[in-house]
Amino acid sequence: MEGDTFSGHGNGIYIDSKVAQAFQKSFVQVQNILDQNRVLINEINQNHESKVPDNLSRNVGLIRELNNNIRRVVDLYADLSTSFTKSMEVSSEGDSTGAVKSDGKASHKRLRPV
């Protein structure tokens, strides 16, 4: 499986399966955190609407947890961006465009520096 490539959804770019698995793992982590955030936001809203002092005090901790989760999502997306850039650089070695179309011909797009 390592070293295998696949074409991503008809876009003509081939991606190493190991890279694709790493991307998939990160996207699953992001989705799990976002699902957890939805639950936290619902609980924060319920506590706020109840106006019960203990519930409002609990919101302080819930909001901190929510903020930490948002930081984690930002970090995961930053890591994904870096990984994607590196994978494109590796795939573009020997090809100035960084992309190989599904018909085997190189694309003539110019890459922008990161």
Side-chain angles (χ1 to χ4, degrees), residues 15-53:
I15 300 173
D16 186 284
S17 63
K18 185 177 176 183
V19 172
Q21 288 173 352
F23 288 152
Q24 179 65 24
K25 180 182 175 188
S26 293
F27 285 123
V28 167
Q29 286 178 307
V30 166
Q31 188 59 54
N32 288 338
I33 294 169
L34 294 176
D35 290 342
Q36 183 182 10
N37 284 357
R38 185 181 309 109
V39 171
L40 286 170
I41 290 167
N42 287 336
E43 186 174 349
I44 290 166
N45 285 336
Q46 288 173 356
N47 289 346
H48 181 74
E49 290 171 3
S50 76
K51 299 192 186 330
V52 174

Side-chain angles (χ1 to χ4, degrees), residues 52-108:
V52 174
D54 287 342
N55 290 349
L56 294 173
S57 295
R58 178 164 162 66
N59 274 0
V60 173
L62 294 174
I63 291 169
R64 282 191 183 123
E65 185 177 351
L66 181 65
N67 286 335
N68 287 332
N69 285 352
I70 291 168
R71 281 189 205 98
R72 286 174 49 206
V73 168
V74 168
D75 290 343
L76 283 167
Y77 276 128
D79 292 346
L80 273 168
S81 177
T82 300
S83 296
F84 181 77
T85 301
K86 286 180 181 178
S87 72
M88 290 290 93
E89 288 171 355
V90 168
S91 72
S92 69
E93 287 178 3
D95 175 13
S96 62
T97 63
V100 176
K101 294 191 175 207
S102 58
D103 61 4
K105 296 179 182 174
S107 169
H108 295 289

